[in-house]
Amino acid sequence: MSVTESKSNAKIILMGEHSVVYGKSAIALPFFAAEIIARIQKSDSDISIDSEHFSGKLSQAPSLLKGVRNLIYEGLKLLNMENEKIKITVESTIPSQRGFGSSAAVSVAIAKALFSYANKNLTVEMLTDLVGKAEKTHHENPSGLDGDTIISKQAIYFKKGNENIKLNFNLDLDLVVGDTGVPASTKEAVRKVARNKDKEPFIEELGYLSNQVLKNIRNRDGESMGLNMNQAHRVLSQLGVSTDELDRLVNSSLKAGALGAKLSGGGLGGCMIALCKKDKTQDILNELKESGASSTWVLDLKEI
Ligand code: PMV
């Protein structure tokens, strides 16, 4: 039986998480070390899904998959295939709930696979819309940053309602990613910030720092970029979305020679990133492991 397959990648937020929800700018990068593969094949019973979170009839999928479920129904409707019986299999190497955008990545891979199965063209606008709706179900108030970064497969400067600016870093630096191993809910983190009555100056500062980092990238100034990342981490901590585990990994990477480090994504667990010169990468990886990182990765900013 023929199987249609589509892939998507993860993403890393460099700057602007949380403030991006309030209309400030953010910078994010695609992360190709982890990916999602969605496979679709004809089935003789119902529409079913086989994933790490649930296997069975799509109509009985748990609320965690509500966004994806709606996306599949809407995709089939757009394709005039509401009555098509299919089996969707999702394979993922993207750790979920760690700030890698796994929910948006699943949506992208499934939407692409659906259209490819039907042999129909899926425009970027349609894909962005389908993924945006799924993310809304999942996170209530998503900025759209995750979906846009994953769809564009390029580093972007993002501001809600504006056209994304594609970025080329081309910097002789590495970005080390450390996973605390602690799952975190983006929805909870976004709610926590929303409840904070004193958030305004922090949101302003995060937006300012994001713009500063855009300048740092353009001026190829890694030292200043590191300092701006450190400041962003302090502000995110003040907003209440850092944790002891994140702080420990951030501090240990700085001790090992990083130019700057911060949490990445929603926080309350998940991942952190450290910017460094290439001769410090291994020391930072060792230090992160010693400090309890469950996994680490390296992104070469020359290739971004
Ligand atoms: O936790 P993640 O990687 O899905 O990142 C969410 C980023 C936020 O700014 C916190 C939320 C959003 O919708 O942009």
Side-chain angles (χ1 to χ4, degrees):
M1 193 177 295
S2 85
V3 181
T4 308
E5 182 179 295
S6 290
K7 288 185 184 177
S8 69
N9 47 277
K11 69 98 225 303
I12 295 283
I13 299 178
L14 178 65
M15 293 291 289
E17 48 274 276
H18 288 292
S19 46
V20 69
V21 173
Y22 299 89
K24 306 294 176 197
S25 60
I27 299 170
L29 297 72
F31 182 57
F32 298 110
E35 64 177 15
I36 302 263
I37 304 175
R39 295 190 180 90
I40 299 188
Q41 62 194 101
K42 214 171 175 43
S43 132
D44 40 20
S45 54
D46 251 300
I47 303 175
S48 66
I49 186 157
D50 185 3
S51 73
E52 75 180 288
H53 300 292
F54 172 78
S55 289
K57 286 184 183 179
L58 185 64
S59 55
Q60 292 169 3
S63 61
L64 181 71
L65 295 187
K66 199 169 158 202
V68 162
R69 193 174 66 201
N70 293 349
L71 174 138
I72 295 167
Y73 289 139
E74 187 172 348
L76 288 172
K77 196 165 162 204
L78 286 170
L79 293 163
N80 290 320
M81 291 173 82
E82 283 110 315
N83 298 320
E84 186 78 2
K85 302 196 175 9
I86 49 172
K87 178 178 178 196
I88 301 166
T89 310
V90 180
E91 239 176 63
S92 172
T93 57
I94 304 180
S96 61
Q97 298 197 297
R98 304 292 216 290
F100 284 121
S102 66
S103 64
V106 169
S107 296
V108 170
I110 292 180
K112 281 185 172 175
L114 277 175
F115 278 70
S116 166
Y117 172 84
N119 236 334
K120 291 271 163 57
N121 180 40
L122 175 63
T123 64
V124 170
E125 290 73 24
M126 281 159 84
L127 180 57
T128 305
D129 185 56
L130 283 167
V131 174
K133 284 178 185 155
E135 285 290 278
K136 219 176 173 68
T137 311
H138 205 65
H139 297 325
E140 279 170 15
N141 185 21
S143 62
L145 174 64
D146 284 16
D148 277 21
T149 310
I150 290 166
I151 291 167
S152 77
K153 289 183 172 287
Q154 246 193 291
I156 56 169
Y157 174 83
F158 174 100
K159 202 167 178 193
K160 242 198 252 184
N162 290 33
E163 202 158 315
N164 299 327
I165 301 173
K166 297 199 166 156
L167 301 175
N168 280 315
F169 281 62
N170 197 16
L171 292 172
D172 212 6
L173 298 170
D174 282 338
L175 198 65
V176 178
V177 183
D179 186 356
T180 60
V182 179
S185 153
T186 304
K187 192 179 191 166
E188 277 312 309
V190 170
R191 275 187 184 165
K192 186 166 187 190
V193 173
R195 280 197 303 267
N196 186 335
K197 291 194 188 66
D198 305 318
K199 62 179 169 299
E200 221 26 68
F202 300 129
I203 299 295
E204 280 300 321
E205 186 169 0
L206 288 170
Y208 168 79
L209 290 168
S210 211
N211 288 335
Q212 289 303 106
V213 165
L214 177 67
K215 287 186 194 153
N216 301 154
I217 293 166
R218 290 182 166 158
N219 297 333
R220 309 174 58 74
D221 182 356
E223 307 276 341
S224 302
M225 188 163 147
L227 295 176
N228 285 319
M229 288 170 68
N230 288 342
Q231 181 58 14
H233 184 73
R234 279 191 284 271
V235 178
L236 288 161
S237 300
Q238 286 166 315
L239 265 180
V241 291
S242 191
T243 60
D244 290 348
E245 289 87 355
L246 282 165
D247 290 346
R248 187 163 60 241
L249 297 189
V250 163
N251 291 333
S252 61
S253 66
L254 292 172
K255 202 175 93 192
L259 297 169
K262 62 184 277 293
L263 68 83
S264 173
L268 299 181
C271 283
M272 51 69 67
I273 49 174
L275 180 73
C276 64
K277 294 192 175 146
K278 289 181 178 293
D279 59 354
K280 295 285 183 210
T281 304
Q282 195 53 51
D283 291 346
I284 292 170
L285 287 169
N286 295 343
E287 193 66 36
L288 285 175
K289 278 279 177 207
E290 289 234 328
S291 305
S294 62
S295 302
T296 52
W297 298 264
V298 180
L299 273 90
D300 183 349
L301 293 182
K302 197 93 193 145
E303 290 167 10
I304 303 279

